[in-house]
Amino acid sequence: MIWSTATIRGVMSHKDSTRASVDGQLERLVEISRTMYENPEVGYQERETSKILADYLVEHGFEVERPACGLETAFVATIGSGPEVVICAEMDALPGVGHACGHNIIAAAAIGAGVALASVAEDLGVQVTVLGTPAEEAFGGKVDLINAGAFDNASVAMMVHPSIQDVVDPNIIAVAHWEVEYRGKTAHASAYPDQGINALDAQVQAYVNISTLRQAILPTDKIHGIIVDGGDAPNIIPDFTRSLWYVRSQTLDRLEVLTEMVRSCFEAAALATGCSLEVKEHGHTYTEMRSNPILVGLYGANSAALGRPMLRGADLPPSVTGSTDMGNVSLVVPTIHPMLDIDSGDAVNHQAEFAAATIQPAGEQAIFDGAV
């Protein structure tokens, strides 16, 4: 159930006081964002980050459960009673490039918004929940939280995300995460290559097969992967190799079609090389995002009033897409996931230069605007 019109009007009538709350928190929120930037933690390992965020909410009167929902680094922070609004605080960094997707901004804005809304929760008759959501980048911590019942009583769920554009309802598509293993037989690569079965050849052939497949798929289909284990030494025929893959489509229905095509590419490589094949899910499958139109309209109007007019996802090229486990949330509760420009110059998400931009003045402004 989405909030009533009266509740929404009540929230808007308290904008001055909630904005003042965020303004008063901003120095601390920026400090937390910078601490996350300097100490990045990858999925399901966000132990220090989770503690910092949870402790901040305890300081501001929230009742906090941590760990929560069977996840070591998840937390559930609540205050007030009535219709529940859930604000998601993503925490995990990317391997190698740290907070190059700006989860430090997401988390800081989330706790800032939570504290600001808590200051008027009694007047509005609502429950505010800030949910610490681990492992968005690869595994899908929000799917774990859905399965644990964390969204069962939510009326709305929301978060913001740094980007290179301001977009109120971005194009967010479904994705499957796969781990692909080939097994063969070792042998001396120079003296007895005929006695081996080369598992690296299988991975390379699979990569070529998928590259060939790309000419026959839709422009909105996306397939990308890396080989993470290619063997032990050049003079040993590899008997085991492993790769990780993301397979994306606009909807879950289309994703089912595409994943069968991709699976055939892996199977063909196994057949050609004589290797055995195992394809395993690497984390949860994410669904497409269904942004709630009422929330989209309200957020767009509020953002414009702050001097940050928002683009619509429909106005962007269909190839400009990403995936998130917030899509799964959007299928069970009215949800919004706006993108906020952090003025990163030529840098885009998942580049180290983008991570550096999160702690510059435009990144700090995104924390403030995202929280109010």
Side-chain angles (χ1 to χ4, degrees), residues 1-41:
M1 178 183 69
I2 198 165
W3 283 354
S4 68
T5 301
T7 302
I8 292 171
R9 286 174 177 166
V11 172
M12 301 307 288
S13 72
H14 287 81
K15 286 303 296 182
D16 288 345
S17 60
T18 54
R19 180 170 183 146
S21 172
V22 175
D23 193 51
Q25 299 176 70
L26 189 58
E27 183 177 351
R28 183 77 182 281
L29 297 176
V30 167
E31 177 186 326
I32 289 171
S33 172
R34 182 175 288 272
T35 297
M36 290 177 63
Y37 169 81
E38 293 171 348
N39 302 277
E41 297 174 301

Side-chain angles (χ1 to χ4, degrees), residues 58-366:
V58 169
E59 290 173 20
H60 288 84
F62 281 75
E63 181 179 335
V64 178
E65 176 188 356
R66 188 182 75 93
C69 302
L71 298 177
E72 179 187 358
T73 57
F75 65 82
V76 180
T78 59
I79 196 168
S81 61
E84 182 185 21
V85 56
V86 174
I87 304 170
C88 292
E90 294 180 357
M91 302 177 284
D92 57 317
L94 289 155
V97 290
H99 276 294
C101 214
H103 291 195
N104 51 326
I105 288 177
I106 296 171
I111 60 175
V115 169
L117 190 54
S119 68
V120 297
E122 185 176 352
D123 290 345
L124 296 174
V126 300
Q127 176 179 311
V128 182
T129 298
V130 180
L131 195 60
T133 65
E136 184 275 335
E137 288 294 354
F139 301 104
K142 294 188 195 67
V143 182
D144 295 324
L145 294 171
I146 291 169
N147 294 338
F151 294 92
D152 285 357
N153 298 316
S155 295
V156 296
M158 59 187 66
M159 58 172 283
V160 295
H161 197 298
S163 183
I164 63 169
Q165 295 172 302
D166 292 315
V167 187
V168 68
D169 56 345
N171 300 315
I172 293 174
I173 62 178
V175 62
H177 310 92
W178 282 357
E179 183 175 5
V180 177
E181 296 178 352
Y182 288 102
R183 295 183 184 274
K185 183 179 179 182
T186 61
H188 193 291
S190 179
Y192 308 109
D194 56 306
Q195 301 299 308
I197 300 174
N198 195 318
L200 182 57
D201 281 348
Q203 290 285 2
V204 172
Q205 187 59 56
Y207 199 100
V208 171
N209 290 347
I210 289 168
S211 295
T212 304
L213 174 65
R214 287 194 178 100
Q215 67 182 312
I217 60 178
L218 300 175
T220 48
D221 293 335
K222 299 171 184 287
I223 312 163
H224 24 260
I226 58 170
I227 298 173
V228 294
D229 190 339
D232 297 319
N235 62 345
I236 304 171
I237 299 291
D239 67 340
F240 173 80
T241 56
R242 183 169 66 96
S243 59
L244 299 175
W245 293 87
Y246 285 11
V247 185
R248 308 185 200 239
S249 281
Q250 280 192 306
T251 65
L252 274 181
D253 289 343
R254 170 61 189 175
L255 185 63
E256 290 180 6
V257 175
L258 181 61
T259 51
E260 287 307 305
M261 299 166 72
V262 173
R263 188 180 294 273
S264 294
C265 291
F266 295 134
E267 292 171 347
L271 181 63
T273 59
C275 291
S276 63
L277 166 68
E278 185 175 8
V279 178
K280 300 182 287 188
E281 286 194 46
H282 187 77
H284 296 290
T285 295
Y286 299 176
T287 72
E288 67 271 21
M289 169 72 71
R290 299 178 186 173
S291 296
N292 181 270
I294 296 174
L295 295 176
V296 165
L298 290 168
Y299 191 94
N302 183 63
S303 186
L306 291 171
R308 190 187 280 266
M310 309 292 284
L311 296 170
R312 297 297 304 271
D315 298 328
L316 300 177
S319 59
V320 180
T321 58
S323 304
T324 172
D325 53 5
M326 198 68 168
N328 301 68
V329 175
S330 77
L331 299 192
V332 299
V333 61
T335 298
I336 193 170
H337 182 282
M339 311 294 273
L340 301 181
D341 184 7
I342 63 167
D343 193 21
S344 58
D346 294 333
V348 298
N349 296 69
H350 292 204
Q351 293 180 333
E353 294 83 358
F354 188 89
T358 67
I359 58 170
Q360 298 304 312
E364 296 174 3
Q365 185 66 45

